[in-house]
Amino acid sequence: MNPPEDVSALTLIGRNLAGYDGEMISRLISVHDTSRSASKTHFPIPVSSEGLWVMDGNSTEGSAISIAVGAKKRLTDGIPALTETGARVQFGDRSFVVTKA
């Protein structure tokens, strides 16, 4: 199990991260993934006063949000989705659980 990551501004998650020119990125979280199921830059996580948003970054394997009751929502490329505390965000064969600090 990895230690919790503090995400308080635009963060990128992936296995070999690179942002776009002019993108105001606060944090890069690199994921060790020998199976290469996660894309190089799998998705950005913008944060707002509403909470944590996730958005698939046109990844090969896709991304999804699973909420505590078991419903799973596939993310659409480029369209942000608001998560809730306790939701599991899946990307490739990796995932993380959203918690509140």
Side-chain angles (χ1 to χ4, degrees), residues 26-74:
S26 297
R27 188 114 193 264
L28 301 174
I29 299 176
S30 182
V31 176
H32 180 72
D33 183 13
T34 57
S35 69
R36 300 172 67 106
S37 68
S39 293
K40 289 180 181 180
T41 302
H42 202 95
F43 56 79
I45 300 177
V47 179
S48 74
S49 60
E50 299 167 292
L52 184 76
W53 293 81
V54 292
M55 176 174 57
D56 189 77
N58 198 27
S59 66
T60 304
E61 297 293 325
S63 306
I65 300 172
S66 297
I67 55 176
V69 294
K72 186 175 184 177
K73 175 185 176 184
R74 298 276 307 164

